[in-house]
Amino acid sequence: MPPSDRRIWDHPILVFERGKKVRFFFEGVEVEAYEGESVAAALYAIGIDVFSYSAKLGRPRGPFCMIGKCSSCFMIVDGVPNTRTCVELVRDGMRVERQRGLAPIPSTTPPEGAEEEVLEADVLVIGGGPAGLSAALEAASYGLDVVLVDEHFRLGGQLVKQTHKFFGSKELFGGLRGFQIAEVMSEKLSKMSNVRVLLRSVAYGVFRGGWVGIASRNKLYRVRPRAVVVASGASEQYLAFPGNDLPGVMGAGGAQTLMNEFGVRPGEKALVVGSGNVGLIVSYQLLQAGVKVVAILEIMPSIGGWFVHAAKVRRYGVPIMTSHTISAAWGSERVEGATIVKVDERFNPIPGSERDVECDLILISVGLAPDARLLAQARAVMRWVPELGGPVPLRTIDLETSVPNMYVAGDASGIEEATSAMIEGRIAALSIVSKLAEGRRGVEAAEKAKKLVDFLWNEYRTSPLLSRARRGKEKATVSHEEMEKLRREFPPAASFG
Amino acid sequence: MKIVIVGAGISGLFTAYSLAKMGVRDVVVLEKRYVGYGSTGRCATGIRASFTSEEHIVLMKESIRLWKEYSEGELGRYGLNFVQGGYVWLARKEETVDTFRKLVALHNSLGVPTRVIDRDELRSLVPPLNTNLVAGAMHDPMAGKSYVFTTLRALMKACRELGVRIATGTEVRKLIARGSRIVAAETSKGEVSGDIFVIAAGAGSRELLKTVGIEIPTKNIPRHILTTEPYQRAFEPLVIDWDTPGVPYIVQIIEGNFFIGRDIEEEPEQSIYSQRIDFMPKALKPIAELFPFIKAVRVLRYWIGYYVATPDNHPIYGPVNNFDNLFIATGFSGHGYMMGPVTGKIIAEWILEGRPSIPQAEKLTLDRFERGALVRELAVIG
Ligand SMILES: Cc1cc2nc3c(=O)[nH]c(=O)nc-3n(C[C@H](O)[C@H](O)[C@H](O)COP(=O)(O)OP(=O)(O)OC[C@H]3O[C@@H](n4cnc5c(N)ncnc54)[C@H](O)[C@@H]3O)c2cc1C
C-alpha cells in the first residue's frame, strides 16, 4: 500500500542506524517500521500524510510538533483514541487507526487501574533536555537523590535533533553536535545510582503540601521533593492563515525531528515561514536532506537570524523574501501550494502582491513559547516578556521562582538556546545543593553557582547574538527582596523544602 | 432607573437579562475578574427539579421551563443549548432502592416525574455502565444539562444587545450607604452610583455585604471536579453513585468531555488554587468501577470551585431589612447554575413589581435565618 518511502539513506553528515524491523497494522494493513521509531515518524516515512480528521469539521490533520506538545497526530492506538503518536514507540503487532472526528469511547480498557507509588527524592527535575539533564547531573554529583521525568520515550529534548556543532569550551561541549551532547549526558546519568529516570511520564500537577503528581504508563507516582527544577522547554508558535491545519504544514522543529532524529524526509518542496535562526537552520538541514527550499518568508523588513546561517542558505540559492508572509495554504489532503503576499510597514498585506507558489511542505518557524504551565499552576508569579516568547515566571538570579524551592531553567524560563539552558540548569541545581548539602560541599556549590552566574551574565550573554534574550531575562529577574515581597503579596499554591 | 448588579456569574447575568427584557435601559454588571470566573465557570452543568423541598421543586420546575424556552429563542440562537438528558441515581445496595421509591413518591406528588428503573432500562439509558455493581436506579427524565460557556456567551451577547454594560476587571470593594439606601459601589476603578443594587457575587457576597453591616450565614466550601478529553456521545444522563461516600458523579457535557466530581472533606474558605493530589484517584476509582472505559481516558484538567452554602442549603433571595434598594441572590449551595433562569426572573420581578411571581421564593429571604424559619425538607434521605 505505501506509495513511497521517505526514509533518508544517504546524508552528508548524519548516519541513521536503524534497528530491527517491526511490523504493525495501519488501518488493518500490515506495515513495516524500525525499532526506535515513533509511530508518527514510521507512518510519515511510508507516505501517510493524514493522521486524523478533525473533531467538528472533519478536516484532515497531520503531525505538527513531533514532540508531544500539540494534538495534531492523535490516532487510535490499540483501541485507545487520542494517542499522541509522535511520542509512542512502534511495537510489533500494534494496531493504529486514523481518528475520524471525536472518537468513540475506548473499546479496550486495562483490566486494572493504575498502580500507585510514592517516590522519595531530594530534587525533582521536570524535563530531560539540555537544562534538565544538566540540572540532574549537577545535583546528583553532590550526592542528592534525583528523579528526572520526561514525557518523551528518550532523553535529550531538543538536543536530539540539533545536528550543528556547538561553540565554546570543552566544559560547554564545544565541538560536539547537539545529539552527541545528549548522548554524553544521558550516558553519564545512567551510571549514577542516585538518579531515577522516568520516561513517558508527565508531571501533571503541583498539589497542596508540596506534592507533585507524575503519570506514567499505568503507574501513578507521587513525590514530595525538597526542591523542583522545571525544565519543560517550549512549544512552537502557530500562525493563523487559511489552511494552516493541512497536513504538510508543520512546525520547523517538527520537521527537524523527522529528518534529523528519524531520518525521514518531511517533504519534497518546502516553503519556510520565518527567518529566525530556527527557520534558517531548518532550511539548511532541509537542503542536506535533499528537500528543495522554495523560499524563506520574513514578515519583517530584515532577516531575523544570524548572518552566518543566512549566508549558508543563500549560497544554495534559496531566496529569503523579507516583508513577505503567507496568506493561505491550499491542497486537499496535503499541502499542494501556498499564496504568499508582500506586506507594508505596518505588516498589512499589500493588495495585488499575492503570488502562488507550489510546495508540499510549509514550515512554521515564527518562534517558540515557553512551556511554564506547571509553574503557572503552582501560582508562581508570571510576567509576559515578549523577548522571551510569552509568559514566564519571575525568578531570582539563581533561578528560584516565587514558589519556594521551585526553580526554572532552559527555554521554560524564556526562549534562549541550548548552551544557556545547560548553564541555567546547573545554576539552579547548584543553588539547591547550596541549601541542601551540609557544610563544605554546600559552600563549594554556592561558589560554583556564583561563578556560573557571573559567566552567564558577564561573558556568555554579552554576545550581541544573545542581546534580545538577555534583555528578556533581565526583565524576568528580580532581587531577593523583591521576591520576598511578591511571595507575601501573591502566595503560591504550594511550596517545597 | 439605574440598576447595578455585582457579579457576572449565572445569577448576575440572568438577572441583567430579565431586567433588560422587562424594559430597564440602564443596567450595569460589575465583575471583579471575568465573566464566569466564580462558581459558574467551574460547575458541572447539571439541571434538575428532583429535590426534597417544595421551594426547590417549584423554583426548579420553572427554571427548567425557562431553560427550554430560552434555548428555543434568542438565547438559543446565540448558542445556549439545553439538553434534557436526565439524571440517574445508582443504588449499589438493595435498601437504597427503597429510599428511591420513597423519593419517587414525593417527587411525583409535586409533579416531578422520577421513576425507579430496572437494570435493563438502565443499560439502555447508560450503555457503558457496568450494571453488575448496581442494585437499582432512579431516573429523572425532566433533568438535563447546558454547557456553561456557550450559555455565558449567549447571555453576554444578548445582554449587550439590550444595552446592558458588563464591566469586567472591576472589583467592588465596598458598598456605600446613606440612611436606608445604598447609593454607590466603590470599585477598583472608581465609584459607581445607582438606584438599585443586586448582590450576586457568589463567594464574594458575604464580605461585600459586611461593608454595610449585613451578615449572611454562608460558607464557601471548596468542591473539586475534573474533566477528561472529549468523546462521541456515550450517554446523556448525569449519573450519581449514591451509595459511595462523597457521592461521586459523572456527566458527559454537551461538548463531549466527561466531568467527574466527588465531595472530599474540606475546610470552608480554603483557597481554590490549592489542588489536592488525592482528589483525582478518589473521584476516579468509584467511577472507573462503574465505567471501566474511564481507565483508558486521559484527564485534561482538574479545578476547584466554591459551593456557597447556607444552613438550610437553599438560596438567599430578595430584599433585606434595613435597606430599601438592595437585593441578594446567592447561597445556592451547589445548585445555582440550574436556578439561573428563575433567579433572574424573580429578582427582576421583585425589583420592578415589588414581589416575585413565585410565592415560594418569598420564603427564601435573608430574614428567615433570624426568624428561625429555615426551609423544611419534606424528606430527609441518605
Ligand atoms: C464543582 C462544582 C459543581 C457544580 N455543579 C453544579 C451543577 O451541576 N448544577 C448547578 O446548578 N450548580 C452547580 N454548582 C453550583 C453553581 O456553580 C453555583 O451555584 C452557581 O454557579 C452560582 O452562580 P452565581 O452567579 O450565583 O455565582 P458565581 O458564579 O460565583 O458568580 C459570582 C461572580 O461575582 C464576582 N464577584 C465576587 N465578588 C465580587 C466583588 N466584590 N466585586 C465584583 N465582582 C465580584 C465573582 O468573580 C463571580 O464571577 C457547582 C459548583 C461547583 C463548584
Side-chain angles (χ1 to χ4, degrees), chain A residues 175-249:
Chain A
L176 289 185
R177 298 182 191 275
F179 62 91
Q180 294 168 326
I181 300 174
E183 278 163 22
V184 172
M185 289 204 280
S186 313
E187 176 70 23
K188 246 188 174 172
L189 211 60
S190 67
K191 295 203 181 108
M192 305 183 97
S193 60
N194 53 336
V195 179
R196 179 148 175 200
V197 176
L198 301 173
L199 292 176
R200 307 171 87 198
S201 302
V202 179
Y204 61 82
V206 173
F207 297 91
R208 191 180 300 173
W211 287 99
V212 180
I214 298 165
S216 222
R217 298 299 159 117
N218 268 317
K219 188 126 190 199
L220 287 173
Y221 298 97
R222 45 177 90 169
V223 53
R224 204 177 195 176
R226 296 162 76 192
V228 179
V229 180
V230 179
S232 43
S235 53
E236 291 186 275
Q237 309 260 28
Y238 284 102
L239 201 60
F241 56 87
N244 71 352
D245 60 339
L246 267 175
V249 178

Side-chain angles (χ1 to χ4, degrees), chain B residues 13 29 63 65 86 128 170 185 211 241 294 304 337 368 382:
Chain B
L13 288 185
V29 183
S63 211
R65 192 189 67 74
T170 308
T211 64
D241 180 10
I294 284 294
I304 308 173
Y337 183 66
R368 75 175 184 273

Side-chain angles (χ1 to χ4, degrees), chain B residues 5-13 30-48 51 60 67 87 144 167 170-174 187 199-205 207-208 221-226 238 249 251 261 263 303-308 329-340 343:
Chain B
I5 298 170
V6 186
I10 201 74
S11 309
L13 288 185
L30 306 176
E31 166 56 50
K32 81 173 161 183
R33 297 290 301 274
Y34 49 82
V35 171
Y37 166 75
S39 304
T40 301
R42 301 163 194 274
C43 83
T45 81
I47 294 166
R48 66 182 165 117
F51 282 84
M60 299 292 188
W67 276 109
Y87 266 46
T170 308
E171 182 176 9
V172 180
R173 300 208 167 124
K174 74 195 243 213
T187 81
I199 307 306
S205 305
E207 292 306 310
L208 186 56
I221 301 170
R223 285 285 175 253
H224 304 235
I225 181 169
L226 63 84
L238 186 150
Y249 60 87
V251 56
D263 291 358
W303 65 91
I304 308 173
Y306 286 125
Y307 273 20
V308 182
T330 192
F332 295 99
S333 310
H335 315 122
Y337 183 66
M338 55 183 85
M339 295 186 89
T343 298

Side-chain angles (χ1 to χ4, degrees), chain A residues 168-169 171-172 416-417 419-420 423 427 450-467 470 474:
Chain A
S169 66
E171 206 197 348
L172 297 175
E416 201 168 349
E417 45 79 70
T419 301
S420 6
I423 301 172
I427 292 173
K450 226 174 130 213
K451 276 195 197 130
L452 275 174
V453 166
D454 186 54
F455 171 74
L456 180 62
W457 287 90
N458 300 328
E459 255 178 77
Y460 193 73
R461 276 187 188 142
T462 54
S463 156
L465 304 176
L466 291 176
S467 62
R470 183 195 166 92
E474 273 168 2

Side-chain angles (χ1 to χ4, degrees), chain B residues 333-354:
Chain B
S333 310
H335 315 122
Y337 183 66
M338 55 183 85
M339 295 186 89
V342 79
T343 298
K345 177 178 159 156
I346 59 165
I347 299 294
E349 289 168 348
W350 231 314
I351 293 170
L352 299 178
E353 289 158 8

